[in-house]
Amino acid sequence: MLLLGITLALLLAGGSSVYADEAATSKRDMSKLTCGEFLEMSAPDAVVTLFWIDGYLSSKNDAPVWDAETFVEHRDKLVKICASEDGKEKFLFEEVEELN
């Protein structure tokens, strides 16, 4: 739970405004984001990406419910997969699809 609090604090911190400014002027094709790129993101960018993933999965499951435990489980699984020996070349979105 502490880690979730830290994650939320990072999202709400001043650094997230940099991401918001960048996001307002650019688009990202999430299907082309590699695990390596995800692991190299700044903390605020990674948090925004994780929230996007959570929203995507919630929408896919027709369940507009915030579940902090599932959020953390998904984050941990993705980081473990991406940090594996052959994980950095994988596309993050393909791994997200496997979470369901």
Side-chain angles (χ1 to χ4, degrees):
M1 193 64 167
L2 175 62
L3 190 52
L4 179 60
I6 292 170
T7 301
L8 292 174
L10 285 172
L11 177 64
L12 299 173
S16 63
S17 65
V18 172
Y19 182 85
D21 291 342
E22 181 182 324
T25 60
S26 66
K27 293 182 182 180
R28 168 163 263 169
D29 183 346
M30 298 302 279
S31 69
K32 295 181 180 174
L33 178 67
T34 66
C35 280
E37 292 170 326
F38 172 67
L39 292 176
E40 292 174 4
M41 287 181 173
S42 67
D45 289 356
V47 169
V48 169
T49 300
L50 289 167
F51 274 105
W52 182 90
I53 290 167
D54 184 69
Y56 170 80
L57 292 174
S58 293
S59 173
K60 187 175 176 182
N61 294 324
D62 292 326
V65 176
W66 166 253
D67 182 344
E69 187 174 311
T70 300
F71 179 88
V72 171
E73 287 174 11
H74 287 168
R75 180 208 58 205
D76 291 347
K77 286 179 184 177
L78 290 173
V79 169
K80 183 177 180 180
I81 291 166
C82 290
S84 69
E85 191 170 319
D86 63 339
K88 290 185 175 72
E89 301 303 318
K90 294 181 179 184
F91 288 103
L92 184 68
F93 191 73
E94 291 175 7
E95 301 308 317
V96 167
E97 291 289 345
E98 296 295 318
L99 293 174
N100 277 340

